[in-house]
Amino acid sequence: QAAASGFIGFFYALVVLLICSQQHKVPASLYAQRPSSTSLALGLCLFALGEAGNLYHHALLARLRNPREQVHTAAAVSATPSTADALAAPPAAPPARQYTLPRGGMFELVTMPHYFFELVAWLGIALVAQQANALLVFAGMVSYLSGRAVATTQWYMGKFGKSWPASRRHIVPFLF
C-alpha cells in the first residue's frame, strides 16, 4: 500500500507539473477576455454552493467527535493543574476513539458529500476561469477525491460491516 500511495503522489506531482508547464503557453490576450455574464453567474453560484455544502458537511462531521475529546475553555482553565502537579502526574492515556456513521445532509446518499461539494466549487472556478488549466485542475481533483472516497467507503464498510448502508455511494449521489 505504501508503494501505491507513493505512485499516486508521484502521479499528481506530474499532473501539477503538466499544468504549470503549459501555463506559459497561454497567450496573455486570453486573460484579457472576460467570461460571459451567464458563465460568470453560474460559476459563482456553483462556487458558493460548493463552499457552503462543504462547510455544512464538515460541521456535521465535527459533531460526531466524542464529547470527551472536546475541550471547553472555562472547564479547562479551572481544571488546569499546576506545573509541579502536571510534572509529577503520570501521562494521561488518550481517550478511546469511537467511530459512528455520519448522518444528515447528503451523508444519507454518499460517503463523502464534502468532497462532492468541493468538486462543485472547483467546477465553478473552472467555469469562471474558462481556461484549460482550470479544467485540468478540476479533472485532477475529480480523480484524486474519487479515489479517496472509494478508499474511505471501503474503510467504513470494513469498520461497520452490515451496519453500513448498502445504497450509499462514494461521492456522486445515485451514480458513483
Side-chain angles (χ1 to χ4, degrees), residues 13 18 23 29 40-41 44-45 67 69 84 88 95 108 118 124 139 157 161 171:
L18 170 71
Q23 186 65 36
S29 62
L40 178 63
L44 289 175
C45 286
E69 292 179 11
E108 305 306 320
E118 185 169 337
M157 291 171 82
I171 195 170

Side-chain angles (χ1 to χ4, degrees), residues 163-174:
S163 299
W164 181 252
S167 63
R168 201 178 277 192
R169 300 287 186 218
H170 303 294
I171 195 170
V172 180
F174 312 109

Side-chain angles (χ1 to χ4, degrees), residues 107-127:
F107 279 111
E108 305 306 320
L109 302 173
V110 295
T111 304
M112 307 297 277
H114 48 298
Y115 284 5
F116 173 78
F117 283 106
E118 185 169 337
L119 293 176
V120 169
W122 279 109
L123 180 60
I125 290 170
L127 190 60

Side-chain angles (χ1 to χ4, degrees), residues 8-174:
I8 291 170
F10 179 73
F11 172 76
Y12 285 108
L14 286 177
V15 169
V16 169
L17 180 63
L18 170 71
I19 292 168
C20 292
S21 68
Q22 295 302 309
Q23 186 65 36
H24 75 282
K25 295 182 181 181
V26 176
S29 62
L30 192 59
Y31 291 112
Q33 298 173 3
R34 297 183 58 131
S36 71
S37 59
T38 304
S39 64
L40 178 63
L42 182 59
L44 289 175
C45 286
L46 285 173
F47 178 77
L49 175 69
E51 289 298 310
N54 194 356
L55 176 67
Y56 173 71
H57 288 91
H58 274 284
L60 290 177
L61 285 173
R63 288 185 193 156
L64 293 177
R65 293 232 180 249
N66 189 337
R68 289 181 291 161
E69 292 179 11
Q70 297 175 358
V71 176
H72 301 286
T73 308
V77 170
S78 66
T80 303
S82 68
T83 304
D85 291 341
L87 290 173
R97 265 206 167 137
Q98 267 189 317
Y99 291 100
T100 59
L101 288 173
R103 297 277 183 207
M106 282 182 43
F107 279 111
E108 305 306 320
L109 302 173
V110 295
T111 304
M112 307 297 277
H114 48 298
Y115 284 5
F116 173 78
F117 283 106
E118 185 169 337
L119 293 176
V120 169
W122 279 109
L123 180 60
I125 290 170
L127 190 60
V128 170
Q130 296 184 350
Q131 300 287 321
N133 289 343
L135 193 57
L136 282 172
V137 169
F138 169 69
M141 292 303 294
V142 168
S143 172
Y144 175 70
L145 293 177
S146 295
R148 299 236 345 151
V150 168
T152 302
T153 300
Q154 291 171 346
W155 182 87
Y156 273 123
M157 291 171 82
K159 183 81 174 161
F160 292 103
K162 295 180 191 224
S163 299
W164 181 252
S167 63
R168 201 178 277 192
R169 300 287 186 218
H170 303 294
I171 195 170
V172 180
F174 312 109

